[in-house]
C-alpha cells in the first residue's frame, strides 16, 4: 500500500485538485436527499408552507391565538414581533417584522410560544374530537339565552375572566403534554396555511413556487455533481496514465542500466510482466483510488452527519449495516488476499513458458515434443485460471451479499420508520431521506469493498515494480570519471585479473594477464566452458573484475564512464542480435549519423553485400523482430558490419564467425585485417582456421591462460592447443605449422 501512495504522491497537486472536487461532488450528492425530503414534507404534505409561525395573520385570527397564550409576557413578545398592516391583504392583518424574520433565536422563541395556541385554535376551528368535548363542556355550563345565537366558542373564551381562562389553558396544555413535538409542529404549519387562506393569499401559488424553487436547486446540484464527477474522472485518468507512463519509463531506464548480474536475477519474462501487467494494475488501481476510495469516506462521513441531522433514533441501523459490511470485507481479505500474491507469480510463469515455447518452436517441432510443451503450457495456464476463478468467485460472492445487506437495511428502515410516522415522531420525507443517506453510506463502504478486491493484487504489483526500481546495480559509474582521450590508441591490458560470478564460491577466471595492441589481433581459444566469453564480457563492464584490473590506454576501465568506455568498443556478440527495422538501421545502429558510404563499406567488409544486393529494396529491406527473416550467417555478417560502421578503437568478436562458411570467413578476415590496421582486435573462436594468422593467441583452460603465442609457437609449446589443433587440422597442416614454428 505504501508503494502505491508513494507513486501517487508524485502527482500531489492533481490529487489535491481531485480531493477538492470530490468534496463538491459529495456536497451535491448529500444535499439531494434533504431536498427530496423537503419536496415530500413541505412541498406535498404542507402545501409549500415551511414556516412554523405565520409571517402574516389577520387581526381576528391573531386575537384567537392570543386567547390561548396564558402568560402576559409571552403575549407581549408576540405582539412586539408583529406590526399592523391593512393594505397588503383583504383583511386587516399583522405582519412579522423584518428584524424578527432575520433573527433565528426570536423565530424559535415565537414558535415555542405560538405552537400550542395555534394548534388549539386550529382544533376548535376544525371541530376535532378533542376540542369538541371541551367545547360541549363549556357551552353546557352557560345558561341558555346568555349568548347570541351566532356566538362561537372563541366569543365565550373572550368573555371568560383571565384567571379562569389561564386555568383552562393550563389544563389543555396538560392534556396535550404527551403529544410529540412533530404533531404540534405539523398542526401549527397547518394553521399557518389556514391563516394565509383567510387573508386571501393563493396557497396553490405558494406550493408551486416552493416546488419549482426546490426542484430547480435539485437540478442545479445534480448538474454540478455531474460536472464534478466528469472532472474527477478526467483528472484521475490523467494521473493514472501519467503514473503508468512514468513508471514504465523508470523501469525501462533502470533495466537498460542493469549489469548482467541484475539481468540474471530478474528473468526476462518477469521483467516484461513487471513492465506491462504490473504497472497496468497500479495504473488501474490509482484511477480507482482517486475516483472511489477518496470519495467513499467523504460520502460515508457526510452521510452519517446528515443522518444525525435527519433522525437520531434510527442511527443504530447505520451501525448495524457498517458492522455487517466490515465482516464481509474481513472475510474476503482473509480468504482472497493470499491468492493475489500467488497470481502474479503464475502470470510470470505463464509468460516464461509461452516465451520459451515460441522462441524454441523449430526445436520443438524437430524433436516432435509438441504434446509435452502443450502439457507444460496447459499446466501453467490452468494454474493461473484456477487462481483467477477463485478470486472472481470471491468477488461474485461479495456482491450478492452486499445487495442482501442493502435491501435488508432498506426494509428495516421502512419498518422502523413506519412506526415512527405512525407515532408522529417523523415524517414520510424524513424516512425517504434516511433511506437515501443510508444507501449512500453503504455505497461508500461498497466502493471500498470493490477496491479491496483489486488492492491486494495492485499492492503486490507495486512491490514487484519497486523491486526493480530499488535494486542496486553492481556496476556503476565513478563519481568523478576519468576521460578517455579522443585520439586513444586502444591498448588493452589485463593485469592479474580474476573473476567470480556474484554469489559463486570459486573463481571462473584465475590470474589473467595479457596485453592487446593496436594493429594486432589477439585471439582467444579454448574448450567449451573455459571462460572465453566471460573474459571478453569483462571489457565492456558487463561484469566487473573480482581481482586485478583491466586498463584501456593506461586507464582503469572502472574509473571511466560506462558510456565513454563502450563508445570506444565495437562488440559483436556470440549470438547475432538484430532489431526490427531495416538493414540500414541495423548496420548504422552504433553510428546513426554516419554516411551511406560508411554503411556500404562496412557491409562490403562484412561480406554482407552478397545477399543485400539480391533484395529488391537492398539496404531499405525490412528486418523482422530478432532478425527472424535472415539466416544465421546473414545475421552474423550484419552484426559484424554494425561493429565496423562504428569505427571503434577496439573490436571484440565473441565467436562471431561460427555461422560463416570457410570461403566467406577467409574473405571477411582478409578485408577486416585491412580495415582494422590501426585498431586492436580481440577474437574469441572455436575454429583454429579463424585465428591462424593472429599475432597473439591465448589458450584458456579451466579459466587460466595455459598458452600464449602465435599459432606455430603454440603448436610446439602448448599441449592443450595441440589437442585442439589435432581435432581440427589435418596431419599435413599440423606438420607445416610445426616446421614453420621451428624455423
Amino acid at each position: 500500500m505504501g508503494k502505491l501512495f508513494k507513486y501517487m504522491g508524485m502527482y500531489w497537486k492533481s490529487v489535491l485538485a481531485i480531493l477538492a472536487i470530490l468534496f463538491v461532488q459529495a456536497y451535491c450528492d448529500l444535499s439531494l436527499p434533504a431536498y427530496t425530503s423537503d419536496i415530500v414534507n413541505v412541498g406535498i404534505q404542507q402545501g409549500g408552507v415551511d414556516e412554523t409561525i405565520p409571517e402574516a395573520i389577520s387581526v381576528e385570527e391573531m386575537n384567537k391565538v392570543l386567547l390561548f397564550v396564558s402568560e402576559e409576557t409571552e403575549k407581549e413578545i408576540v405582539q412586539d414581533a408583529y406590526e399592523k398592516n391593512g393594505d397588503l391583504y383583504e383583511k386587516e392583518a399583522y405582519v412579522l417584522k423584518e428584524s424578527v424574520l432575520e433573527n433565528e433565536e426570536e423565530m424559535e422563541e415565537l414558535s415555542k410560544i405560538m405552537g400550542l395556541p395555534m394548534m388549539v385554535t386550529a382544533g376548535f376551528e376544525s371541530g376535532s374530537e378533542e376540542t369538541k368535548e371541551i367545547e360541549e363542556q363549556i357551552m353546557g355550563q352557560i345558561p341558555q339565552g346568555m349568548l347570541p345565537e351566532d356566538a362561537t366558542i372563541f366569543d365565550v373564551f373572550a368573555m371568560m375572566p383571565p384567571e379562569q381562562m389561564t386555568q383552562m389553558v393550563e389544563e389543555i396544555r396538560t392534556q396535550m403534554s404527551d403529544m410529540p413535538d412533530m404533531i404540534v409542529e405539523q398542526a401549527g404549519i397547518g394553521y399557518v396555511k389556514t391563516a394565509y387562506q383567510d387573508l386571501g393569499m393563493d396557497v396553490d401559488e405558494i406550493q408551486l413556487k416552493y416546488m419549482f424553487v426546490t426542484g430547480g436547486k435539485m437540478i442545479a446540484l445534480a448538474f454540478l455533481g455531474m460536472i464534478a464527477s466528469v472532472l474527477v474522472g478526467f483528472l484521475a485518468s490523467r494521473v493514472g496514465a501519467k503514473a503508468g507512463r512514468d513508471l514504465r519509463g523508470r523501469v525501462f531506464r533502470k533495466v537498460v542500466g542493469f549489469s548482467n548480474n541484475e539481468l540474471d536475477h530478474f528473468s526476462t519474462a518477469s521483467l516484461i510482466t513487471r513492465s506491462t501487467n504490473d504497472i497496468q494494475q497500479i495504473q488501474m488501481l490509482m484511477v480507482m483510488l482517486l475516483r472511489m476510495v477518496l470519495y467513499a469516506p467523504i460520502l460515508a462521513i457526510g452521510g452519517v452527519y446528515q443522518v444525525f441531522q435527519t433522525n437520531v433514533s434510527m442511527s443504530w441501523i447505520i451501525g448495524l449495516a457498517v458492522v455487517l459490511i466490515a465482516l464481509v470485507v474481513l472475510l474476503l481479505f482473509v480468504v482472497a488476499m493470499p491468492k493475489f500474491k500467488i497470481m502474479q507469480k503464475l502470470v510470470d510463469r505463464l509468460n516464461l513458458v509461452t516465451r520459451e515455447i515460441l522462441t524454441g518452436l523449430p526445436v520443438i517441432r524437430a524433436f516432435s515434443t509438441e504434446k509435452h510443451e502443450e502439457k507444460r503450457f496447459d499446466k501453467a495456464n490452468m494454474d493461473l485460471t484456477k487462481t483467477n476463478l477463485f478470486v472472481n468467485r470471491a468477488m461474485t460472492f461479495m456482491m450478492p451479499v452486499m445487495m442482501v445487506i442493502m435491501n435488508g437495511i432498506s426494509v428495516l428502515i421502512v419498518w422502523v420508520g413506519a412506526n415512527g410516522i405512525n407515532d408522529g415522531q417523523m415524517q414520510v420525507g424524513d424516512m425517504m431521506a434516511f433511506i437515501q443517506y443510508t444507501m449512500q453510506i453503504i455505497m461508500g463502504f461498497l466502493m471500498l469493498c470493490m477496491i479491496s478486491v483489486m488492492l491486494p493484487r495492485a499492492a503486490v504489483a507495486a512491490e514487484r515494480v519497486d523491486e526493480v526500481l530499488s535494486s542496486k546495480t553492481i556496476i556503476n559509474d565513478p563519481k568523478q570519471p576519468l576521460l578517455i582521450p579522443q585520439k586513444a590508441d586502444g591498448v588493452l591490458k589485463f593485469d592479474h585479473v580474476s573473476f567470480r560470478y556474484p554469489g559463486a564460491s570459486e573463481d571462473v577466471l584465475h590470474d589473467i594477464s595479457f596485453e592487446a595492441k593496436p594493429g594486432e589481433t589477439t585471439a582467444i581459444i579454448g574448450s567449451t566452458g573455459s571462460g572465453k566469453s566471460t573474459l571478453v564480457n569483462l571489457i565492456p563492464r558487463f561484469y566487473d573484475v573480482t581481482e586485478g584490473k583491466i586498463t584501456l590506454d593506461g586507464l582503469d576501465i572502472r574509473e571511466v564512464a560506462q558510456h565513454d568506455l563502450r563508445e570506444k568498443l565495437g562488440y559483436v556478440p556470440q549470438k547475432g542480435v538484430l532489431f526490427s527495422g531495416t538493414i540500414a538501421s541495423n548496420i548504422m545502429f552504433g553510428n546513426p549519423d554516419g554516411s551511406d558510404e560508411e554503411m556500404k563499406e562496412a557491409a562490403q567488409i562484412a561480406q554482407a553485400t552478397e545477399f543485400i544486393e539480391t533484395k529488391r529494396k537492398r539496404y531499405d529491406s525490412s528486418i523482422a523482430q530478432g532478425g527472424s527473416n535472415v539466416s544465421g550467417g546473414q545475421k552474423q555478417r550484419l552484426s559484424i558490419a554494425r561493429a565496423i560502421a562504428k569505427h571503434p578503437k577496439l573490436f571484440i568478436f565473441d565467436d562471431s564467425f561460427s555461422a560463416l562458411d570457410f570461403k566467406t570467413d577467409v574473405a571477411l578476415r582478409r578485408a577486416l585485417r585491412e580495415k582494422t590496421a590501426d585498431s586492436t582486435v580481440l577474437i574469441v573462436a572455436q575454429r583454429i582456421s579463424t585465428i591462424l594468422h593472429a599475432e597473439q593467441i591465448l589458450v584458456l583452460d579451466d579459466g587460466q591462460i595455459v598458452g600464449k603465442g602465435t599459432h606455430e609457437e603454440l603448436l610446439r609449446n602448448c599441449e592443450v592447443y595441440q589437442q585442439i589443433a589435432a581435432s581440427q587440422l589435418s596431419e599435413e597442416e599440423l606438420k607445416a605449422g610445426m616446421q614453420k614454428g621451428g624455423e
Side-chain angles (χ1 to χ4, degrees), residues 544-557:
D544 268 345
V545 299
T546 307
E547 294 178 13
K549 64 179 180 178
I550 302 171
T551 61
L552 183 64
D553 289 330
L555 297 176
D556 190 331
I557 61 172

Side-chain angles (χ1 to χ4, degrees), residues 63-323:
N63 291 334
K64 290 179 182 179
V65 171
L66 290 175
L67 286 172
F68 302 102
V69 178
S70 55
E71 298 289 335
E72 288 298 325
T73 53
E74 291 181 348
K75 285 183 180 180
E76 289 176 6
I77 291 172
V78 173
Q79 289 170 341
D80 289 341
Y82 286 87
E83 57 186 359
K84 274 190 178 183
N85 192 313
D87 301 328
L88 291 175
Y89 306 102
E90 295 177 358
K91 295 181 179 181
E92 190 177 13
Y94 284 105
V95 179
L96 205 58
K97 294 177 181 177
E98 286 291 332
S99 59
V100 177
L101 272 172
E102 295 171 0
N103 192 318
E104 290 185 9
E105 291 181 3
E106 288 189 36
M107 290 290 289
E108 189 174 344
E109 186 180 10
L110 282 172
S111 180
K112 287 180 181 179
I113 295 171
M114 298 177 68
L116 190 61
M118 286 192 300
M119 179 181 175
V120 175
T121 303
F124 280 114
E125 286 181 340
S126 62
S128 65
E129 293 182 4
E130 292 84 355
T131 54
K132 261 187 178 181
E133 291 180 6
I134 297 172
E135 186 175 346
E136 287 174 0
Q137 288 176 4
I138 294 172
M139 288 295 194
Q141 293 174 3
I142 298 173
Q144 289 183 352
M146 286 188 64
L147 292 173
E149 291 184 2
D150 58 346
T152 64
I153 187 66
F154 295 104
D155 295 328
V156 175
F157 288 147
M159 294 168 57
M160 281 185 180
E163 296 81 5
Q164 188 178 353
M165 188 64 192
T166 302
Q167 184 180 357
M168 188 191 70
V169 170
E170 290 301 323
E171 287 178 3
I172 293 173
R173 283 184 183 275
T174 303
Q175 289 178 9
M176 296 185 175
S177 60
D178 295 334
M179 195 172 290
D181 293 339
M182 184 68 68
I183 292 178
V184 175
E185 184 179 324
Q186 289 301 307
I189 291 171
Y191 177 78
V192 171
K193 186 178 178 181
T194 305
Y196 288 165
Q197 286 176 321
D198 182 55
L199 289 173
M201 296 171 66
D202 190 344
V203 291
D204 291 335
E205 185 183 345
I206 293 173
Q207 184 177 29
L208 282 174
K209 182 181 177 182
Y210 182 88
M211 296 286 276
F212 276 114
V213 170
T214 308
K217 289 178 182 177
M218 290 181 73
I219 292 170
L221 283 170
F223 188 71
L224 180 61
M226 180 192 72
I227 293 173
S229 180
V230 170
L231 278 175
V232 167
F234 174 74
L235 290 174
S237 298
R238 280 182 63 87
V239 170
K242 283 182 180 178
R245 177 200 64 192
D246 294 346
L247 280 176
R248 280 190 292 272
R250 288 174 62 190
V251 169
F252 179 77
R253 287 190 293 272
K254 186 75 176 182
V255 172
V256 167
F258 275 174
S259 67
N260 285 16
N261 175 63
E262 286 80 48
L263 290 172
D264 294 339
H265 177 71
F266 298 101
S267 68
T268 305
S270 180
L271 285 173
I272 291 171
T273 306
R274 292 169 198 247
S275 302
T276 53
N277 184 276
D278 287 352
I279 291 177
Q280 186 180 10
Q281 292 292 328
I282 295 169
Q283 181 176 332
M284 286 173 58
L285 187 81
M286 204 171 284
V287 174
M288 299 299 283
L289 280 172
L290 293 173
R291 289 191 66 182
M292 297 174 68
V293 174
L294 286 180
Y295 186 55
I298 298 172
L299 191 66
I301 293 168
V304 170
Y305 174 78
Q306 292 286 10
V307 159
F308 279 101
Q309 294 293 312
T310 305
N311 193 293
V312 180
S313 63
M314 292 201 298
S315 57
W316 61 272
I317 298 175
I318 305 295
L320 176 65
V322 171
V323 169

Side-chain angles (χ1 to χ4, degrees), residues 411-705:
V411 172
L412 185 60
I413 291 170
V414 171
W415 183 69
V416 175
N419 289 326
I421 292 169
N422 185 57
D423 295 338
Q425 295 173 351
M426 65 185 302
Q427 293 179 269
V428 175
D430 294 338
M431 186 184 74
M432 292 173 64
F434 192 91
I435 292 174
Q436 287 179 290
Y437 286 130
T438 306
M439 291 305 105
Q440 285 177 332
I441 295 167
I442 294 174
M443 282 302 295
F445 283 98
L446 189 58
M447 289 178 196
L448 294 176
C449 292
M450 291 171 66
I451 296 298
S452 69
V453 175
M454 299 172 63
L455 187 61
R457 187 175 182 184
V460 171
E463 290 289 343
R464 284 159 52 86
V465 171
D466 192 65
E467 277 181 25
V468 177
L469 295 176
S470 62
S471 61
K472 293 183 179 179
T473 306
I474 292 178
I475 298 173
N476 295 293
D477 287 338
K479 291 182 179 178
Q480 294 181 334
L482 300 176
L483 295 175
I484 302 174
Q486 286 295 324
K487 295 182 179 180
D489 296 325
V491 179
L492 179 73
K493 186 176 181 180
F494 274 61
D495 187 4
H496 298 285
V497 169
S498 295
F499 172 74
R500 72 174 59 181
Y501 286 103
S505 58
E506 57 184 30
D507 291 343
V508 178
L509 298 174
H510 312 273
D511 196 27
I512 304 293
S513 294
F514 70 89
E515 186 174 359
K517 299 177 181 178
E520 294 183 359
T521 298
T522 299
I524 303 169
I525 196 169
S527 59
T528 302
S530 59
K532 303 185 298 297
S533 294
T534 302
L535 188 148
V536 296
N537 280 339
L538 296 176
I539 300 169
R541 291 190 70 195
F542 295 154
Y543 295 102
D544 268 345
V545 299
T546 307
E547 294 178 13
K549 64 179 180 178
I550 302 171
T551 61
L552 183 64
D553 289 330
L555 297 176
D556 190 331
I557 61 172
R558 290 171 296 185
E559 295 179 0
V560 299
Q562 296 175 66
H563 179 268
D564 292 345
L565 170 66
R566 291 164 185 167
E567 277 290 304
K568 304 297 180 185
L569 307 179
Y571 177 71
V572 184
Q574 189 172 5
K575 182 182 178 182
V577 177
L578 298 181
F579 301 94
S580 56
T582 63
I583 290 175
S585 68
N586 273 279
I587 293 176
M588 304 308 289
F589 187 77
N591 183 18
D593 298 325
S595 63
D596 289 346
E597 287 73 21
E598 290 176 293
M599 176 182 67
K600 291 175 181 177
E601 182 191 18
Q604 190 171 6
I605 293 169
Q607 308 301 304
T609 51
E610 172 192 339
F611 72 88
I612 294 174
E613 295 296 333
T614 62
K615 294 183 177 291
R616 186 169 61 86
K617 293 185 179 180
R618 297 186 180 180
Y619 289 92
D620 290 327
S621 300
S622 63
I623 295 293
Q625 182 182 0
S628 59
N629 60 339
V630 292
S631 68
Q634 292 170 346
K635 195 183 296 185
Q636 275 197 344
R637 279 178 275 176
L638 288 175
S639 298
I640 293 167
R642 180 171 58 203
I644 295 169
K646 190 179 178 184
H647 308 300
K649 296 304 295 181
L650 174 60
F651 284 93
I652 302 172
F653 297 100
D654 186 5
D655 199 13
S656 309
F657 307 98
S658 57
L660 304 179
D661 60 83
F662 184 76
K663 178 184 175 183
T664 306
D665 187 1
V666 172
L668 193 154
R669 282 187 288 108
R670 185 182 298 116
L672 191 62
R673 179 174 287 274
E674 296 175 7
K675 174 66 178 176
T676 60
D678 298 326
S679 301
T680 304
V681 179
L682 251 70
I683 297 177
V684 173
Q686 297 283 357
R687 297 191 310 207
I688 285 182
S689 59
T690 305
I691 60 172
L692 278 173
H693 305 290
E695 283 78 12
Q696 179 179 220
I697 300 174
L698 308 177
V699 183
L700 282 186
D701 186 41
D702 197 20
Q704 293 178 315
I705 295 178

